[in-house]
Amino acid sequence: MDIDDVKPGFTQLRLEYSRDQYILESCEEQNGKHYFSSALCKGNMLLFGDKGETIHGPCITDKKGVLDLAFSLHCKTWISSAVNWITRSGSSWPSHNVTQSILKHGVLFVPIGVHGSPKEDIEWRVSFSVAEKLLVNTFTHTQLMCYALLKIILKDVIANDSECKDLLCSYFLKTIIFWISEELPSSVWEPDDIIACFMRCFSRLVYCVEHSVCSHYFITENNMFENKIEGRARGVLLNKLNTLHSYGWRCILFSDQISNFDVSMWNFPIEPFTLYVNDVKKMVQSRTLHFANSLFETYSELNIFNTGLLHNIWCHKFSLKHLFAYYISQRCSKQAQSLPLDVATINNKYQYKQYKSCLSTLLTNVYHDAVSGWLMVASLFYQTKQYRKALHIIRYSISKCTFDKLFFGMTLSEIHYESLKLLSFNKSVVYLMHFNVNSTLTPEELLMEGWKKQYTIPSTAYAYFLSVLCHYHLNNVSHCQDSIQDLKLVIEERYLMPDLKCTAEAYTLLGIALQLFGDKESARQAFSQSLVIYPNESYNSAARRLL
């Protein structure tokens, strides 16, 4: 082995002596010395293989592109560059027996060099694949679950972003779990603590990306993120990871294969509570309930609707006081939007009374769902130029936009089933934002001359849109950009958005935000995407905004 002037984790193999013609033909001469060439070895393998095979990294790929064949050289002794691993940790993991098995096996040399290196063709990567397999075999169920969940997030969420797709790989995730397993006692990895263990692993991943450092487990001098996790791509990845991390363990529900889990496939015994959940399913998927906010404007119509729900939808054991609070809250949302609100004369005594009346009405409007009522309060603060108060309410509202919330048209999963045991229906559901025509609470940036339609907007998108507006008026440029990125992520994931029209409205909000920020070309793209998703120009204001 010759590791001088070679990146850690790689080596050159200098030939001491051989009469074997194949080995001699696979060597290159450098400064009077002969080195076994990784490039020539793969080239010679192609000569002896089937026609149509190609080189793919360290492997030979068959002509159908289905099978990768990798060969390696076995070094039966432990290499000097990894000797510190033997005595580095005093923890109980891995055990003495496992450590001895790893040392006894040694390492492998894989035929691939450092990309772009002047000596790339004669460099070999040091592989610890057998050692890593022995370590993984010692994992508890909790460690395996953490590894699996990280891989699911990588594949289903992070890799879906074109700018993040090729930055991370499962090997980095496995390395992170190796490090944490060595640092902590084995007693930490208990099934009851799986959430804490998973979040510890996820936090370490965020830290590694933030500092562009992920040390190889056996050769610590090898920073696997060097020249890989950097620049704009690193910023995009870090922002996405931080956003996911802010949701805690619920970030795993961004994965379709987890969030689409259907409890109906299991034969759970039917309990009394299950009947209530079945009623909630009917309500969540009921078009009558979905359109209630926008269709019923008069008290008489509202009373008819109340009576119908009492007899046909609601479970008879559901507390009537919650039912009445629900509809009083709904009505207050509409009533507050019709109250006069002259921002220019807010200090005037009469106008101040109007403002207090509107605020008290809106505070009664927070009982019909978990989010939209509070966002209407934030809209009042925004309209009266109390931007910091608005941001405080927005942050609170966003904290309530969790994966266990219900919305129209969804399929309930186990997490919703459990959530309903803890919260009332009112606190478990997220409705759309409904701004009436001529509403005094509609942000000026949304208004368009001649547009006489109600604005119906997904609450998650509106929260970040309103955050953009507040930061814009406070001249918080970086926070403004962060909110735009968060809005993009919410749209990309269609988070708590019941249908395509809502997604189209969210793109319209993004276009307005980008337009406000001066990015006219990106704004046009957002408006155009809104029209592609929902091309009905009579009900999609994006068409007029493109003119």
Side-chain angles (χ1 to χ4, degrees):
M1 284 183 64
D2 191 342
I3 58 175
D4 293 338
D5 299 323
V6 180
K7 181 181 177 180
F10 292 81
T11 186
Q12 297 170 1
L13 301 178
R14 189 174 67 250
L15 181 66
E16 294 288 346
Y17 175 80
S18 178
R19 289 184 177 180
D20 189 294
Q21 188 64 28
Y22 174 80
I23 293 178
L24 293 174
E25 290 176 354
S26 299
C27 288
E28 287 187 19
E29 185 178 350
Q30 294 271 348
N31 299 323
K33 299 177 181 178
H34 290 81
Y35 293 91
F36 202 32
S37 169
S38 57
L40 289 177
C41 282
K42 288 182 287 188
N44 289 337
M45 286 194 68
L46 283 181
L47 294 176
F48 295 104
D50 295 334
K51 188 176 181 180
E53 291 181 336
T54 57
I55 295 175
H56 179 215
C59 305
I60 304 298
T61 302
D62 70 338
K63 57 185 178 182
K64 293 183 179 180
V66 175
L67 180 66
D68 274 349
L69 175 64
F71 79 94
S72 60
L73 303 177
H74 186 193
C75 175
K76 295 183 179 181
T77 58
W78 197 247
I79 60 175
S80 60
S81 55
V83 71
N84 289 337
W85 174 77
I86 304 173
T87 57
R88 184 175 67 216
S89 174
S91 71
S92 58
W93 189 91
S95 67
H96 176 74
N97 290 339
V98 173
T99 301
Q100 291 305 309
S101 296
I102 290 173
L103 296 177
K104 183 178 180 180
H105 176 271
V107 299
L108 302 174
F109 298 131
V110 179
I112 189 168
V114 179
H115 181 67
S117 166
K119 299 180 180 179
E120 180 179 354
D121 288 349
I122 60 171
E123 292 173 342
W124 296 69
R125 186 172 67 203
V126 183
S127 171
F128 296 85
S129 57
V130 175
E132 289 158 4
K133 182 178 180 180
L134 292 172
L135 290 177
V136 170
N137 286 342
T138 70
F139 277 3
T140 64
H141 180 69
T142 302
Q143 286 168 300
L144 289 172
M145 284 293 293
C146 289
Y147 183 33
L149 290 173
L150 287 175
K151 289 178 69 174
I152 287 172
I153 288 179
L154 172 62
K155 178 184 176 183
D156 292 358
V157 184
I158 298 173
N160 283 338
D161 190 320
S162 59
E163 293 187 85
C164 303
K165 185 176 182 180
D166 298 320
L167 294 181
L168 296 178
C169 64
S170 59
Y171 188 81
F172 298 154
L173 307 180
K174 182 169 63 176
T175 300
I176 286 172
I177 295 183
F178 284 161
W179 277 110
I180 296 176
S181 298
E182 179 183 301
E183 294 165 5
L184 299 177
S186 300
S187 58
V188 167
W189 302 96
E190 293 294 329
D192 290 345
D193 296 324
I194 187 170
I195 291 178
C197 291
F198 168 72
M199 289 308 300
R200 187 178 288 113
C201 296
F202 195 89
S203 297
R204 179 66 64 88
L205 174 61
V206 174
Y207 176 88
C208 289
V209 172
E210 182 177 1
H211 297 279
S212 297
V213 173
C214 183
S215 297
H216 191 279
Y217 180 62
F218 292 99
I219 303 177
T220 56
E221 294 81 9
N222 179 13
N223 177 15
M224 297 185 292
F225 281 4
E226 185 179 351
N227 299 324
K228 184 174 180 66
I229 310 293
E230 57 185 4
R232 168 178 164 74
R234 171 191 162 277
V236 173
L237 174 60
L238 181 60
N239 183 63
K240 188 151 193 169
L241 288 174
N242 278 326
T243 302
L244 290 169
H245 189 270
S246 69
Y247 289 99
W249 69 268
R250 293 179 178 86
C251 65
I252 63 175
L253 295 179
F254 272 117
S255 163
D256 288 341
Q257 60 180 301
I258 292 182
S259 61
N260 289 339
F261 172 74
D262 190 350
V263 296
S264 63
M265 66 184 291
W266 299 94
N267 293 320
F268 291 117
I270 296 178
E271 303 172 0
F273 179 75
T274 306
L275 301 176
Y276 165 63
V277 173
N278 290 337
D279 284 335
V280 170
K281 285 183 180 179
K282 293 177 184 177
M283 288 187 288
V284 166
Q285 296 170 356
S286 166
R287 290 193 172 274
T288 305
L289 190 62
H290 179 54
F291 291 115
N293 291 354
S294 57
L295 294 182
F296 294 93
E297 296 292 339
T298 67
Y299 285 103
S300 59
E301 289 170 328
L302 194 64
N303 288 334
I304 293 171
F305 185 67
N306 289 354
T307 305
L309 278 179
L310 277 171
H311 291 290
N312 299 312
I313 299 180
W314 233 273
C315 173
H316 68 281
K317 292 184 180 180
F318 198 88
S319 173
L320 285 178
K321 70 175 182 178
H322 290 301
L323 180 62
F324 291 136
Y326 177 91
Y327 285 105
I328 291 172
S329 176
Q330 288 272 36
R331 191 62 199 173
C332 285
S333 174
K334 298 181 181 298
Q335 184 178 346
Q337 294 186 55
S338 63
L339 294 176
L341 193 64
D342 190 347
V343 179
T345 57
I346 194 67
N347 292 323
N348 177 280
K349 186 176 181 180
Y350 172 75
Q351 292 296 337
Y352 180 72
K353 286 184 177 180
Q354 290 287 350
Y355 163 75
K356 294 295 286 185
S357 175
C358 185
L359 178 58
S360 62
T361 303
L362 284 175
L363 289 176
T364 313
N365 141 77
V366 300
Y367 296 102
H368 64 279
D369 82 331
V371 176
S372 69
W374 285 109
L375 286 177
M376 202 62 80
V377 176
S379 296
L380 172 64
F381 287 139
Y382 175 75
Q383 289 293 80
T384 54
K385 300 183 179 181
Q386 301 177 80
Y387 304 124
R388 287 186 171 81
K389 285 186 179 180
L391 285 169
H392 182 76
I393 299 295
I394 291 168
R395 283 191 289 269
Y396 173 79
S397 301
I398 290 174
S399 73
K400 296 298 180 182
C401 294
T402 51
F403 294 92
D404 54 351
K405 292 299 186 289
L406 309 173
F407 60 93
F408 170 71
M410 68 175 299
T411 300
L412 269 68
S413 66
E414 179 66 14
I415 190 171
H416 302 112
Y417 185 91
E418 294 298 324
S419 176
L420 286 168
K421 292 181 179 179
L422 304 174
L423 298 173
S424 65
F425 175 76
N426 299 7
K427 296 301 180 184
S428 299
V429 68
V430 175
Y431 284 133
L432 304 176
M433 299 293 299
H434 293 279
F435 289 102
N436 300 335
V437 178
N438 300 323
S439 168
T440 56
L441 298 180
T442 307
E444 183 180 351
E445 291 79 3
L446 266 177
L447 299 176
M448 287 187 63
E449 186 176 351
W451 186 259
K452 298 297 182 182
K453 299 289 193 306
Q454 182 187 66
Y455 287 100
T456 303
I457 305 168
S459 293
T460 46
Y462 181 73
Y464 288 112
F465 172 72
L466 195 59
S467 178
V468 172
L469 299 185
C470 290
H471 285 304
Y472 175 80
H473 288 290
L474 291 171
N475 294 318
N476 295 334
V477 177
S478 61
H479 291 304
C480 196
Q481 292 173 325
D482 290 342
S483 295
I484 289 176
Q485 291 302 318
D486 290 335
L487 176 56
K488 288 180 179 178
L489 179 62
V490 164
I491 295 173
E492 180 184 336
E493 302 294 341
R494 289 189 60 191
Y495 189 55
L496 300 183
M497 297 185 192
D499 52 35
L500 290 177
K501 186 176 186 301
C502 285
T503 307
E505 290 290 353
Y507 270 108
T508 300
L509 295 184
L510 176 61
I512 296 171
L514 292 168
Q515 202 172 51
L516 189 68
F517 210 67
D519 191 350
K520 294 183 179 180
E521 180 56 34
S522 296
R524 287 187 62 83
Q525 292 176 8
F527 292 141
S528 298
Q529 185 62 29
S530 176
L531 279 173
V532 169
I533 295 172
Y534 193 76
N536 189 337
E537 296 184 8
S538 298
Y539 290 92
N540 190 343
S541 65
R544 293 195 180 190
R545 298 181 194 276
L546 278 170
L547 298 178

